[in-house]
Short mmCIF file of all heavy atoms in Angstrom, two decimals:
data_model
loop_
_atom_site.label_atom_id
_atom_site.label_comp_id
_atom_site.label_asym_id
_atom_site.label_seq_id
_atom_site.Cartn_x
_atom_site.Cartn_y
_atom_site.Cartn_z
N GLU A 65 96.69 91.93 85.34
CA GLU A 65 96.70 93.31 85.83
C GLU A 65 95.60 93.54 86.87
O GLU A 65 95.81 94.15 87.90
CB GLU A 65 96.50 94.27 84.66
CG GLU A 65 97.74 94.46 83.80
CD GLU A 65 98.78 95.29 84.50
OE1 GLU A 65 98.45 96.39 84.95
OE2 GLU A 65 99.93 94.83 84.63
N SER A 66 94.39 93.00 86.54
CA SER A 66 93.25 93.32 87.38
C SER A 66 93.37 92.73 88.79
O SER A 66 92.78 93.23 89.72
CB SER A 66 91.97 92.82 86.72
OG SER A 66 92.07 91.42 86.53
N HIS A 67 94.09 91.67 88.92
CA HIS A 67 94.24 91.06 90.25
C HIS A 67 95.39 91.65 91.04
O HIS A 67 95.62 91.28 92.18
CB HIS A 67 94.45 89.54 90.12
CG HIS A 67 93.24 88.83 89.63
ND1 HIS A 67 93.14 87.47 89.61
CD2 HIS A 67 92.08 89.30 89.18
CE1 HIS A 67 91.97 87.12 89.13
NE2 HIS A 67 91.30 88.22 88.85
N GLY A 68 96.13 92.52 90.39
CA GLY A 68 97.28 93.10 91.08
C GLY A 68 98.41 92.10 91.14
O GLY A 68 98.27 90.94 90.74
N ASN A 69 99.54 92.56 91.58
CA ASN A 69 100.70 91.70 91.68
C ASN A 69 101.20 91.65 93.10
O ASN A 69 101.19 92.66 93.79
CB ASN A 69 101.84 92.24 90.80
CG ASN A 69 101.61 91.90 89.34
OD1 ASN A 69 101.08 90.84 89.03
ND2 ASN A 69 102.00 92.80 88.46
N PHE A 70 101.65 90.45 93.51
CA PHE A 70 102.33 90.44 94.80
C PHE A 70 103.73 90.96 94.57
O PHE A 70 104.17 91.16 93.45
CB PHE A 70 102.25 89.07 95.46
CG PHE A 70 103.36 88.10 95.12
CD1 PHE A 70 104.59 88.23 95.73
CD2 PHE A 70 103.15 87.06 94.25
CE1 PHE A 70 105.61 87.33 95.45
CE2 PHE A 70 104.16 86.16 93.97
CZ PHE A 70 105.39 86.29 94.55
N GLY A 71 104.39 91.27 95.65
CA GLY A 71 105.74 91.82 95.54
C GLY A 71 105.74 93.23 96.07
O GLY A 71 104.71 93.88 96.16
N ALA A 72 106.94 93.69 96.41
CA ALA A 72 107.05 95.01 97.01
C ALA A 72 107.00 96.09 95.95
O ALA A 72 107.51 95.92 94.85
CB ALA A 72 108.37 95.11 97.79
N ARG A 73 106.35 97.20 96.29
CA ARG A 73 106.25 98.35 95.39
C ARG A 73 107.60 99.08 95.34
O ARG A 73 108.27 99.21 96.34
CB ARG A 73 105.19 99.29 95.95
CG ARG A 73 105.07 100.62 95.26
CD ARG A 73 104.74 101.72 96.26
NE ARG A 73 105.80 101.87 97.24
CZ ARG A 73 106.93 102.52 97.00
NH1 ARG A 73 107.15 103.09 95.86
NH2 ARG A 73 107.87 102.61 97.94
N ALA A 126 112.92 96.60 102.68
CA ALA A 126 111.98 96.50 101.57
C ALA A 126 111.98 97.92 100.99
O ALA A 126 112.31 98.85 101.71
CB ALA A 126 110.60 96.09 102.05
N PRO A 127 111.60 98.09 99.71
CA PRO A 127 111.70 99.44 99.15
C PRO A 127 111.02 100.48 100.03
O PRO A 127 109.81 100.40 100.27
CB PRO A 127 111.02 99.31 97.80
CG PRO A 127 111.25 97.89 97.41
CD PRO A 127 111.17 97.11 98.70
N GLY A 128 111.80 101.43 100.55
CA GLY A 128 111.26 102.49 101.38
C GLY A 128 111.11 102.14 102.85
O GLY A 128 110.83 103.01 103.65
N VAL A 129 111.28 100.89 103.22
CA VAL A 129 111.07 100.49 104.62
C VAL A 129 112.42 100.37 105.31
O VAL A 129 113.27 99.55 104.95
CB VAL A 129 110.30 99.16 104.72
CG1 VAL A 129 110.11 98.76 106.17
CG2 VAL A 129 108.96 99.28 104.02
N GLU A 130 112.62 101.20 106.31
CA GLU A 130 113.90 101.27 107.00
C GLU A 130 113.86 100.43 108.27
O GLU A 130 112.82 100.28 108.90
CB GLU A 130 114.20 102.72 107.39
CG GLU A 130 114.09 103.68 106.24
CD GLU A 130 115.43 104.12 105.72
OE1 GLU A 130 116.02 104.98 106.35
OE2 GLU A 130 115.88 103.57 104.69
N THR A 289 109.98 94.50 111.69
CA THR A 289 110.10 95.96 111.63
C THR A 289 109.28 96.67 112.69
O THR A 289 109.54 97.83 113.00
CB THR A 289 109.66 96.49 110.25
OG1 THR A 289 108.27 96.20 110.06
CG2 THR A 289 110.48 95.86 109.15
N ASN A 290 108.25 96.01 113.24
CA ASN A 290 107.43 96.70 114.25
C ASN A 290 107.63 96.09 115.64
O ASN A 290 106.86 96.37 116.56
CB ASN A 290 105.96 96.70 113.85
CG ASN A 290 105.42 95.29 113.69
OD1 ASN A 290 106.14 94.33 113.95
ND2 ASN A 290 104.18 95.18 113.30
N GLU A 296 108.07 91.07 109.41
CA GLU A 296 107.35 91.71 108.32
C GLU A 296 108.08 91.48 106.99
O GLU A 296 107.50 91.63 105.93
CB GLU A 296 107.22 93.22 108.55
CG GLU A 296 106.07 93.59 109.47
CD GLU A 296 106.27 93.08 110.89
OE1 GLU A 296 107.39 93.22 111.42
OE2 GLU A 296 105.32 92.50 111.45
N VAL A 297 109.36 91.19 107.08
CA VAL A 297 110.17 91.01 105.87
C VAL A 297 111.00 89.74 105.99
O VAL A 297 111.64 89.50 107.01
CB VAL A 297 111.11 92.23 105.65
CG1 VAL A 297 112.10 91.94 104.53
CG2 VAL A 297 110.31 93.48 105.34
N ALA A 304 114.06 92.45 100.55
CA ALA A 304 112.91 91.69 100.08
C ALA A 304 112.80 91.75 98.56
O ALA A 304 112.87 92.83 97.99
CB ALA A 304 111.64 92.22 100.71
N PHE A 305 112.64 90.62 97.94
CA PHE A 305 112.42 90.51 96.49
C PHE A 305 113.58 91.08 95.65
O PHE A 305 113.39 91.36 94.47
CB PHE A 305 111.13 91.23 96.07
CG PHE A 305 109.88 90.70 96.73
CD1 PHE A 305 109.21 91.46 97.67
CD2 PHE A 305 109.37 89.45 96.38
CE1 PHE A 305 108.05 90.97 98.27
CE2 PHE A 305 108.21 88.96 96.98
CZ PHE A 305 107.55 89.73 97.93
N GLU A 407 104.42 81.68 103.05
CA GLU A 407 104.32 82.97 103.75
C GLU A 407 105.63 83.75 103.59
O GLU A 407 105.61 84.94 103.28
CB GLU A 407 104.02 82.71 105.24
CG GLU A 407 103.98 83.99 106.05
CD GLU A 407 104.21 83.75 107.54
OE1 GLU A 407 104.30 82.57 107.96
OE2 GLU A 407 104.32 84.73 108.28
N GLU A 410 106.04 85.17 100.04
CA GLU A 410 105.22 86.35 99.73
C GLU A 410 105.62 87.56 100.56
O GLU A 410 105.20 88.68 100.28
CB GLU A 410 103.74 86.03 99.92
CG GLU A 410 103.24 85.04 98.89
CD GLU A 410 101.74 84.90 98.86
OE1 GLU A 410 101.14 84.80 99.94
OE2 GLU A 410 101.18 84.88 97.78
N LEU A 411 106.42 87.31 101.60
CA LEU A 411 106.92 88.43 102.39
C LEU A 411 108.37 88.77 102.00
O LEU A 411 109.05 89.45 102.75
CB LEU A 411 106.82 88.11 103.89
CG LEU A 411 105.39 88.12 104.46
CD1 LEU A 411 105.37 87.66 105.91
CD2 LEU A 411 104.76 89.51 104.36
N GLY A 412 108.81 88.30 100.86
CA GLY A 412 110.09 88.80 100.37
C GLY A 412 111.14 87.77 99.96
O GLY A 412 112.02 88.08 99.17
N GLN J 72 87.66 92.77 92.80
CA GLN J 72 89.09 92.82 92.49
C GLN J 72 89.74 94.08 93.04
O GLN J 72 90.84 94.43 92.64
CB GLN J 72 89.28 92.76 90.98
CG GLN J 72 88.74 91.46 90.41
CD GLN J 72 89.00 91.31 88.94
OE1 GLN J 72 89.39 92.26 88.29
NE2 GLN J 72 88.79 90.12 88.43
N VAL J 88 103.46 105.65 103.52
CA VAL J 88 103.09 104.25 103.36
C VAL J 88 103.98 103.68 102.25
O VAL J 88 103.84 104.04 101.09
CB VAL J 88 101.61 104.11 102.97
CG1 VAL J 88 101.25 102.64 102.77
CG2 VAL J 88 100.73 104.74 104.03
N GLU J 89 104.94 102.86 102.64
CA GLU J 89 105.89 102.36 101.66
C GLU J 89 105.44 101.05 101.03
O GLU J 89 105.69 100.80 99.85
CB GLU J 89 107.28 102.16 102.30
CG GLU J 89 107.95 103.47 102.70
CD GLU J 89 108.46 104.27 101.51
OE1 GLU J 89 108.26 103.84 100.37
OE2 GLU J 89 109.05 105.34 101.74
N GLN J 90 104.84 100.20 101.83
CA GLN J 90 104.44 98.90 101.32
C GLN J 90 103.07 98.54 101.89
O GLN J 90 102.66 99.07 102.93
CB GLN J 90 105.44 97.80 101.73
CG GLN J 90 106.87 98.03 101.25
CD GLN J 90 107.02 97.94 99.74
OE1 GLN J 90 106.19 97.37 99.04
NE2 GLN J 90 108.09 98.56 99.22
N LEU J 92 100.69 95.06 102.86
CA LEU J 92 100.58 93.61 102.97
C LEU J 92 99.10 93.23 102.91
O LEU J 92 98.29 93.84 103.60
CB LEU J 92 101.15 93.12 104.31
CG LEU J 92 102.64 93.34 104.56
CD1 LEU J 92 102.96 93.05 106.04
CD2 LEU J 92 103.43 92.40 103.70
N ASP J 94 96.90 89.88 103.59
CA ASP J 94 97.04 88.51 104.11
C ASP J 94 98.51 88.09 104.17
O ASP J 94 98.90 87.03 103.67
CB ASP J 94 96.21 87.52 103.29
CG ASP J 94 94.75 87.58 103.69
OD1 ASP J 94 94.45 88.12 104.77
OD2 ASP J 94 93.91 87.09 102.91
N GLU J 95 99.32 88.95 104.75
CA GLU J 95 100.74 88.68 104.96
C GLU J 95 101.50 88.41 103.68
O GLU J 95 102.34 87.51 103.62
CB GLU J 95 100.92 87.52 105.94
CG GLU J 95 100.27 87.79 107.28
CD GLU J 95 100.93 87.01 108.40
OE1 GLU J 95 101.25 85.84 108.16
OE2 GLU J 95 101.13 87.59 109.48
N ALA J 96 101.20 89.17 102.63
CA ALA J 96 101.99 89.11 101.40
C ALA J 96 102.12 90.52 100.87
O ALA J 96 101.15 91.28 100.89
CB ALA J 96 101.33 88.20 100.37
N TYR J 97 103.31 90.87 100.40
CA TYR J 97 103.49 92.20 99.82
C TYR J 97 102.64 92.30 98.56
O TYR J 97 102.57 91.35 97.79
CB TYR J 97 104.96 92.46 99.50
CG TYR J 97 105.74 92.76 100.75
CD1 TYR J 97 106.45 91.78 101.41
CD2 TYR J 97 105.70 94.03 101.31
CE1 TYR J 97 107.13 92.04 102.60
CE2 TYR J 97 106.38 94.31 102.49
CZ TYR J 97 107.08 93.32 103.13
OH TYR J 97 107.73 93.59 104.30
N TRP J 98 102.00 93.44 98.38
CA TRP J 98 101.08 93.57 97.26
C TRP J 98 101.21 94.94 96.63
O TRP J 98 101.52 95.92 97.31
CB TRP J 98 99.64 93.35 97.75
CG TRP J 98 98.82 92.70 96.68
CD1 TRP J 98 98.00 93.33 95.80
CD2 TRP J 98 98.79 91.31 96.35
NE1 TRP J 98 97.47 92.39 94.94
CE2 TRP J 98 97.93 91.16 95.24
CE3 TRP J 98 99.42 90.18 96.86
CZ2 TRP J 98 97.67 89.94 94.64
CZ3 TRP J 98 99.17 88.95 96.27
CH2 TRP J 98 98.30 88.84 95.18
N SER J 99 100.91 95.01 95.31
CA SER J 99 100.96 96.30 94.62
C SER J 99 99.78 97.16 95.09
O SER J 99 98.75 96.63 95.49
CB SER J 99 100.91 96.10 93.11
OG SER J 99 99.78 95.32 92.76
N PHE J 100 99.93 98.47 95.04
CA PHE J 100 98.87 99.38 95.49
C PHE J 100 99.13 100.77 94.96
O PHE J 100 100.22 101.06 94.46
CB PHE J 100 98.80 99.43 97.03
CG PHE J 100 99.97 100.14 97.67
CD1 PHE J 100 99.85 101.46 98.10
CD2 PHE J 100 101.18 99.50 97.83
CE1 PHE J 100 100.93 102.12 98.68
CE2 PHE J 100 102.26 100.15 98.40
CZ PHE J 100 102.14 101.46 98.83
N ARG J 107 102.60 108.96 98.43
CA ARG J 107 102.24 108.03 99.49
C ARG J 107 102.51 108.62 100.87
O ARG J 107 102.49 107.93 101.86
CB ARG J 107 103.01 106.71 99.31
CG ARG J 107 102.56 105.91 98.12
CD ARG J 107 103.51 104.79 97.79
NE ARG J 107 104.70 105.27 97.12
CZ ARG J 107 105.87 105.48 97.73
NH1 ARG J 107 106.01 105.18 98.99
NH2 ARG J 107 106.89 105.98 97.07
N PRO J 120 94.69 96.45 94.10
CA PRO J 120 94.06 95.50 93.19
C PRO J 120 94.26 94.09 93.75
O PRO J 120 95.38 93.56 93.75
CB PRO J 120 94.84 95.71 91.88
CG PRO J 120 96.12 96.34 92.27
CD PRO J 120 95.99 96.92 93.63
N TYR J 121 93.21 93.51 94.26
CA TYR J 121 93.34 92.20 94.92
C TYR J 121 92.06 91.42 94.71
O TYR J 121 90.97 91.93 94.98
CB TYR J 121 93.60 92.40 96.42
CG TYR J 121 93.93 91.13 97.16
CD1 TYR J 121 95.24 90.69 97.26
CD2 TYR J 121 92.93 90.36 97.76
CE1 TYR J 121 95.54 89.52 97.92
CE2 TYR J 121 93.23 89.18 98.43
CZ TYR J 121 94.55 88.77 98.51
OH TYR J 121 94.86 87.61 99.16
N HIS J 122 92.18 90.21 94.22
CA HIS J 122 90.99 89.39 93.98
C HIS J 122 90.60 88.69 95.27
O HIS J 122 91.09 87.61 95.57
CB HIS J 122 91.29 88.36 92.89
CG HIS J 122 90.03 87.82 92.28
ND1 HIS J 122 90.01 87.07 91.16
CD2 HIS J 122 88.74 87.95 92.65
CE1 HIS J 122 88.77 86.75 90.85
NE2 HIS J 122 87.99 87.27 91.74
N VAL J 134 102.60 99.15 105.71
CA VAL J 134 103.95 99.19 106.28
C VAL J 134 104.51 100.59 106.03
O VAL J 134 104.64 101.00 104.89
CB VAL J 134 104.85 98.12 105.65
CG1 VAL J 134 106.22 98.12 106.33
CG2 VAL J 134 104.22 96.74 105.76
N LEU J 135 104.78 101.30 107.12
CA LEU J 135 105.30 102.66 107.01
C LEU J 135 106.81 102.63 106.80
O LEU J 135 107.44 101.59 106.96
CB LEU J 135 104.95 103.48 108.26
CG LEU J 135 103.47 103.47 108.62
CD1 LEU J 135 103.21 104.35 109.85
CD2 LEU J 135 102.61 103.95 107.46
N SER J 136 107.37 103.80 106.48
CA SER J 136 108.79 103.82 106.14
C SER J 136 109.69 103.38 107.29
O SER J 136 110.78 102.88 107.07
CB SER J 136 109.19 105.21 105.67
OG SER J 136 108.75 106.17 106.60
N ASP J 137 109.22 103.55 108.53
CA ASP J 137 110.06 103.12 109.65
C ASP J 137 109.76 101.69 110.05
O ASP J 137 110.23 101.23 111.09
CB ASP J 137 109.87 104.07 110.84
CG ASP J 137 108.47 104.00 111.40
OD1 ASP J 137 107.61 103.38 110.76
OD2 ASP J 137 108.24 104.57 112.50
N GLY J 138 108.95 101.00 109.26
CA GLY J 138 108.68 99.60 109.55
C GLY J 138 107.46 99.38 110.43
O GLY J 138 107.05 98.24 110.64
N ALA J 139 106.87 100.45 110.94
CA ALA J 139 105.65 100.30 111.74
C ALA J 139 104.54 99.76 110.85
O ALA J 139 104.50 100.05 109.65
CB ALA J 139 105.25 101.64 112.34
N THR J 140 103.65 98.98 111.42
CA THR J 140 102.56 98.42 110.62
C THR J 140 101.21 98.87 111.17
O THR J 140 101.04 98.97 112.39
CB THR J 140 102.61 96.88 110.61
OG1 THR J 140 102.63 96.42 111.97
CG2 THR J 140 103.83 96.37 109.88
N HIS J 142 97.44 97.64 111.04
CA HIS J 142 96.66 96.47 110.62
C HIS J 142 95.18 96.80 110.58
O HIS J 142 94.67 97.59 111.38
CB HIS J 142 96.89 95.32 111.60
CG HIS J 142 98.24 94.71 111.47
ND1 HIS J 142 98.50 93.63 110.66
CD2 HIS J 142 99.42 95.03 112.05
CE1 HIS J 142 99.78 93.33 110.72
NE2 HIS J 142 100.36 94.16 111.57
#
Side-chain angles (χ1 to χ4, degrees):
Chain A
E65 284 287 307
S66 59
H67 291 189
N69 281 325
F70 89 78
R73 173 216 62 79
V129 179
E130 307 255 282
T289 63
N290 60 3
E296 278 65 45
V297 171
F305 300 110
E407 177 201 354
E410 292 191 315
L411 288 174
Chain J
Q72 298 185 349
V88 179
E89 292 287 2
Q90 301 293 340
L92 296 168
D94 280 344
E95 302 205 319
Y97 284 96
W98 213 263
S99 55
F100 71 100
R107 289 168 284 100
Y121 187 88
H122 199 169
V134 184
L135 307 182
S136 51
D137 66 350
T140 54
H142 288 268

